[in-house]
Amino acid sequence: MHIPTMAEMVANGDSPEVLFWVGCAGSYDQRAQKITKAFVTILNKVGTKYAILGKEELCTGDPARRAGNEFMFQMMAYQNIQVLNGYGIKKIVTACPHCFNILKNEYPELGGNYEVIHHATFLQQLIDEGKIILKEEGSFTGKKITYHDSCYLGRANNIYEAPRKVLEALDAELIEMKRCGSKGLCCGAGGAQMFKEEEKGTTRINLERANEALGTGANIIAAACPFCNTMLTDGVKNSNKEDDVMVMDIAELIAASLK
């Protein structure tokens, strides 16, 4: 896939409608790379003019700040802000709620002011505008799907409807877990927990959440966060259900159903 970078665009005297912020997971994690490809497939299909920073994109610094390393966070954030402001970026879309939250809510105090959109909201807008057209008898028609609310998308930014609207467009049956929406249970990866051993307890949080999702009888567990995807996939494997239940990002579900 040829993905335009900001450097290439600027060299050609051009500018994108939106900058796609890929994030560390979407760049380096093999599973999350599939989400990145799916989202880019959609952007190409609908004709959105976009670019990525490529090698100029650093980690947002979210895990460093959550883990208490404020100095490292500020160093990373300032570098990113210099690059973004240097290119005159106004609008950013990202498939990672952690990147979304920190770019939208915590970069402004350091001089980084952008319109930041999570891909769930972006996909909903494209569907509402009629730009995304799905197959009538898609792969997920009639399938049972349960959606896991990511903490940084739901409770932190009050985005509950957009991902569900995207899933409704698939003509599938949406089954909610008991703990959903503002009462949703964390997958166990937020707050830099993804990168450390968990404290002692009676059960691992991702196993508990995955069991809740499996308990709905859904064929697909939908997520809108690469960290949630990893944690839930591990939970499904732990229950030996990986052959029966798929964990997929909403972008992958849409990309697989495009007309």
Side-chain angles (χ1 to χ4, degrees):
M1 298 175 93
H2 175 69
I3 313 292
T5 64
M6 276 306 301
E8 284 171 10
M9 272 207 168
V10 169
N12 295 328
D14 209 352
S15 65
E17 290 169 45
V18 65
L19 175 83
F20 173 29
W21 186 278
V22 183
C24 302
S27 300
Y28 299 116
D29 180 81
Q30 277 189 309
R31 175 65 189 87
Q33 284 171 353
K34 292 178 182 173
I35 300 169
T36 304
K37 286 180 179 173
F39 188 56
V40 163
T41 301
I42 297 165
L43 291 177
N44 287 338
K45 182 82 175 176
V46 301
T48 300
K49 199 172 173 190
Y50 70 97
I52 62 169
L53 286 178
K55 288 180 178 162
E56 291 184 277
E57 182 187 295
L58 284 185
C59 174
T60 57
D62 171 79
R65 181 171 244 193
R66 301 293 164 249
N69 194 336
E70 183 65 16
F71 176 68
M72 181 180 270
F73 159 69
Q74 293 211 10
M75 277 202 327
M76 290 169 137
Y78 277 126
Q79 270 184 273
N80 281 325
I81 288 165
Q82 276 187 316
V83 171
L84 291 166
N85 291 354
Y87 283 128
I89 298 297
K90 299 281 187 288
K91 190 173 179 182
I92 299 173
V93 65
T94 180
C96 174
H98 298 257
C99 297
F100 165 73
N101 179 66
I102 207 158
L103 289 168
K104 179 176 184 282
N105 299 321
E106 298 177 24
Y107 268 40
E109 64 185 1
L110 300 173
N113 294 286
Y114 319 103
E115 181 192 350
V116 189
I117 305 172
H118 185 263
H119 80 320
T121 307
F122 196 75
L123 291 171
Q124 187 207 346
Q125 287 170 0
L126 290 173
I127 291 168
D128 289 348
E129 288 164 12
K131 290 181 180 174
I132 286 180
I133 301 164
L134 303 174
K135 296 175 200 156
E136 284 198 13
E137 282 294 320
S139 340
F140 308 108
T141 305
K143 287 269 171 78
K144 291 179 180 175
I145 300 180
T146 191
Y147 172 69
H148 164 77
D149 285 283
S150 139
C151 298
Y152 276 115
L153 204 56
R155 280 191 294 273
N157 287 287
N158 215 24
I159 296 173
Y160 298 111
E161 285 302 308
R164 287 174 171 82
K165 286 273 194 305
V166 170
L167 293 171
E168 279 168 21
L170 295 168
D171 206 13
E173 186 187 343
L174 187 60
I175 316 169
E176 295 287 6
M177 289 179 252
K178 278 183 186 167
R179 287 186 277 192
C180 63
S182 60
K183 294 184 173 65
L185 179 70
C186 174
C187 72
Q193 296 288 323
M194 182 87 164
F195 307 105
K196 63 184 271 296
E197 295 301 316
E198 59 264 279
E199 292 84 3
K200 285 199 173 86
T202 52
T203 182
R204 292 175 66 179
I205 192 167
N206 66 316
L207 303 187
E208 181 158 338
R209 188 56 167 163
N211 288 336
E212 273 186 22
L214 293 168
T216 62
N219 316 100
I220 295 158
I221 302 169
C225 169
F227 285 11
C228 295
N229 197 303
T230 298
M231 300 302 267
L232 293 168
T233 300
D234 287 351
V236 169
K237 281 181 182 165
N238 188 68
S239 299
N240 295 315
K241 294 276 191 197
E242 66 264 43
D243 294 335
D244 311 317
V245 179
M246 292 187 292
V247 180
M248 294 180 79
D249 188 87
I250 55 172
E252 293 178 301
L253 292 165
I254 293 293
S257 309
L258 287 172
K259 206 165 189 179

PDB file of all heavy atoms in Angstrom, residues 174-188:
ATOM      1  N   LEU A 174     -26.718  -6.476  17.582  1.00  0.00           N
ATOM      2  CA  LEU A 174     -25.831  -5.970  18.633  1.00  0.00           C
ATOM      3  C   LEU A 174     -26.345  -6.428  19.995  1.00  0.00           C
ATOM      4  O   LEU A 174     -27.473  -6.127  20.368  1.00  0.00           O
ATOM      5  CB  LEU A 174     -25.765  -4.436  18.566  1.00  0.00           C
ATOM      6  CG  LEU A 174     -24.751  -3.740  19.476  1.00  0.00           C
ATOM      7  CD1 LEU A 174     -23.326  -4.176  19.184  1.00  0.00           C
ATOM      8  CD2 LEU A 174     -24.856  -2.231  19.341  1.00  0.00           C
ATOM      9  N   ILE A 175     -25.519  -7.207  20.700  1.00  0.00           N
ATOM     10  CA  ILE A 175     -25.897  -7.676  22.039  1.00  0.00           C
ATOM     11  C   ILE A 175     -24.986  -7.003  23.047  1.00  0.00           C
ATOM     12  O   ILE A 175     -23.759  -7.098  22.943  1.00  0.00           O
ATOM     13  CB  ILE A 175     -25.698  -9.206  22.188  1.00  0.00           C
ATOM     14  CG1 ILE A 175     -26.209  -9.948  20.956  1.00  0.00           C
ATOM     15  CG2 ILE A 175     -26.366  -9.730  23.429  1.00  0.00           C
ATOM     16  CD1 ILE A 175     -25.818 -11.379  20.925  1.00  0.00           C
ATOM     17  N   GLU A 176     -25.580  -6.328  24.014  1.00  0.00           N
ATOM     18  CA  GLU A 176     -24.774  -5.618  25.007  1.00  0.00           C
ATOM     19  C   GLU A 176     -24.392  -6.532  26.176  1.00  0.00           C
ATOM     20  O   GLU A 176     -25.164  -7.393  26.589  1.00  0.00           O
ATOM     21  CB  GLU A 176     -25.543  -4.412  25.563  1.00  0.00           C
ATOM     22  CG  GLU A 176     -25.825  -3.327  24.540  1.00  0.00           C
ATOM     23  CD  GLU A 176     -24.607  -2.501  24.150  1.00  0.00           C
ATOM     24  OE1 GLU A 176     -23.475  -2.826  24.574  1.00  0.00           O
ATOM     25  OE2 GLU A 176     -24.795  -1.512  23.407  1.00  0.00           O
ATOM     26  N   MET A 177     -23.192  -6.313  26.698  1.00  0.00           N
ATOM     27  CA  MET A 177     -22.790  -6.981  27.934  1.00  0.00           C
ATOM     28  C   MET A 177     -23.496  -6.285  29.095  1.00  0.00           C
ATOM     29  O   MET A 177     -23.939  -5.143  28.958  1.00  0.00           O
ATOM     30  CB  MET A 177     -21.267  -6.867  28.116  1.00  0.00           C
ATOM     31  CG  MET A 177     -20.480  -7.711  27.149  1.00  0.00           C
ATOM     32  SD  MET A 177     -18.701  -7.508  27.394  1.00  0.00           S
ATOM     33  CE  MET A 177     -18.273  -6.558  25.942  1.00  0.00           C
ATOM     34  N   LYS A 178     -23.568  -6.945  30.261  1.00  0.00           N
ATOM     35  CA  LYS A 178     -24.232  -6.324  31.411  1.00  0.00           C
ATOM     36  C   LYS A 178     -23.533  -5.022  31.780  1.00  0.00           C
ATOM     37  O   LYS A 178     -24.166  -4.029  32.068  1.00  0.00           O
ATOM     38  CB  LYS A 178     -24.227  -7.282  32.605  1.00  0.00           C
ATOM     39  CG  LYS A 178     -25.355  -8.302  32.536  1.00  0.00           C
ATOM     40  CD  LYS A 178     -25.385  -9.201  33.744  1.00  0.00           C
ATOM     41  CE  LYS A 178     -26.430 -10.296  33.546  1.00  0.00           C
ATOM     42  NZ  LYS A 178     -26.289 -11.359  34.544  1.00  0.00           N
ATOM     43  N   ARG A 179     -22.209  -5.060  31.783  1.00  0.00           N
ATOM     44  CA  ARG A 179     -21.456  -3.832  32.071  1.00  0.00           C
ATOM     45  C   ARG A 179     -21.072  -3.196  30.745  1.00  0.00           C
ATOM     46  O   ARG A 179     -20.136  -3.642  30.079  1.00  0.00           O
ATOM     47  CB  ARG A 179     -20.214  -4.152  32.906  1.00  0.00           C
ATOM     48  CG  ARG A 179     -20.567  -4.499  34.344  1.00  0.00           C
ATOM     49  CD  ARG A 179     -19.348  -4.670  35.204  1.00  0.00           C
ATOM     50  NE  ARG A 179     -18.773  -5.999  35.087  1.00  0.00           N
ATOM     51  CZ  ARG A 179     -17.829  -6.473  35.915  1.00  0.00           C
ATOM     52  NH1 ARG A 179     -17.343  -5.713  36.875  1.00  0.00           N
ATOM     53  NH2 ARG A 179     -17.360  -7.683  35.759  1.00  0.00           N
ATOM     54  N   CYS A 180     -21.833  -2.163  30.365  1.00  0.00           N
ATOM     55  CA  CYS A 180     -21.540  -1.505  29.078  1.00  0.00           C
ATOM     56  C   CYS A 180     -21.789  -0.013  29.223  1.00  0.00           C
ATOM     57  O   CYS A 180     -22.250   0.446  30.267  1.00  0.00           O
ATOM     58  CB  CYS A 180     -22.412  -2.094  27.977  1.00  0.00           C
ATOM     59  SG  CYS A 180     -24.162  -1.835  28.239  1.00  0.00           S
ATOM     60  N   GLY A 181     -21.457   0.736  28.192  1.00  0.00           N
ATOM     61  CA  GLY A 181     -21.622   2.191  28.243  1.00  0.00           C
ATOM     62  C   GLY A 181     -20.797   2.771  29.375  1.00  0.00           C
ATOM     63  O   GLY A 181     -19.651   2.380  29.604  1.00  0.00           O
ATOM     64  N   SER A 182     -21.393   3.687  30.138  1.00  0.00           N
ATOM     65  CA  SER A 182     -20.640   4.353  31.208  1.00  0.00           C
ATOM     66  C   SER A 182     -20.300   3.398  32.358  1.00  0.00           C
ATOM     67  O   SER A 182     -19.485   3.713  33.214  1.00  0.00           O
ATOM     68  CB  SER A 182     -21.431   5.546  31.750  1.00  0.00           C
ATOM     69  OG  SER A 182     -22.665   5.086  32.264  1.00  0.00           O
ATOM     70  N   LYS A 183     -20.933   2.220  32.357  1.00  0.00           N
ATOM     71  CA  LYS A 183     -20.635   1.223  33.401  1.00  0.00           C
ATOM     72  C   LYS A 183     -19.762   0.095  32.862  1.00  0.00           C
ATOM     73  O   LYS A 183     -19.639  -0.968  33.474  1.00  0.00           O
ATOM     74  CB  LYS A 183     -21.937   0.654  33.968  1.00  0.00           C
ATOM     75  CG  LYS A 183     -22.762   1.690  34.734  1.00  0.00           C
ATOM     76  CD  LYS A 183     -24.003   1.062  35.354  1.00  0.00           C
ATOM     77  CE  LYS A 183     -24.735   2.035  36.247  1.00  0.00           C
ATOM     78  NZ  LYS A 183     -25.296   3.187  35.531  1.00  0.00           N
ATOM     79  N   GLY A 184     -19.168   0.315  31.687  1.00  0.00           N
ATOM     80  CA  GLY A 184     -18.325  -0.708  31.075  1.00  0.00           C
ATOM     81  C   GLY A 184     -17.108  -1.043  31.946  1.00  0.00           C
ATOM     82  O   GLY A 184     -16.659  -0.223  32.728  1.00  0.00           O
ATOM     83  N   LEU A 185     -16.606  -2.260  31.785  1.00  0.00           N
ATOM     84  CA  LEU A 185     -15.430  -2.689  32.552  1.00  0.00           C
ATOM     85  C   LEU A 185     -14.175  -2.520  31.697  1.00  0.00           C
ATOM     86  O   LEU A 185     -14.165  -2.890  30.515  1.00  0.00           O
ATOM     87  CB  LEU A 185     -15.589  -4.151  32.980  1.00  0.00           C
ATOM     88  CG  LEU A 185     -14.425  -4.745  33.777  1.00  0.00           C
ATOM     89  CD1 LEU A 185     -14.345  -4.147  35.173  1.00  0.00           C
ATOM     90  CD2 LEU A 185     -14.558  -6.261  33.876  1.00  0.00           C
ATOM     91  N   CYS A 186     -13.136  -1.984  32.307  1.00  0.00           N
ATOM     92  CA  CYS A 186     -11.841  -1.809  31.628  1.00  0.00           C
ATOM     93  C   CYS A 186     -11.298  -3.171  31.190  1.00  0.00           C
ATOM     94  O   CYS A 186     -11.529  -4.179  31.854  1.00  0.00           O
ATOM     95  CB  CYS A 186     -10.875  -1.141  32.618  1.00  0.00           C
ATOM     96  SG  CYS A 186      -9.190  -1.011  32.020  1.00  0.00           S
ATOM     97  N   CYS A 187     -10.564  -3.203  30.088  1.00  0.00           N
ATOM     98  CA  CYS A 187      -9.966  -4.467  29.610  1.00  0.00           C
ATOM     99  C   CYS A 187      -8.701  -4.804  30.388  1.00  0.00           C
ATOM    100  O   CYS A 187      -8.175  -5.910  30.292  1.00  0.00           O
ATOM    101  CB  CYS A 187      -9.636  -4.363  28.129  1.00  0.00           C
ATOM    102  SG  CYS A 187      -8.226  -3.279  27.798  1.00  0.00           S
ATOM    103  N   GLY A 188      -8.176  -3.824  31.139  1.00  0.00           N
ATOM    104  CA  GLY A 188      -6.975  -4.074  31.931  1.00  0.00           C
ATOM    105  C   GLY A 188      -5.697  -3.506  31.348  1.00  0.00           C
ATOM    106  O   GLY A 188      -4.623  -3.690  31.899  1.00  0.00           O
TER     107      GLY A 188
END
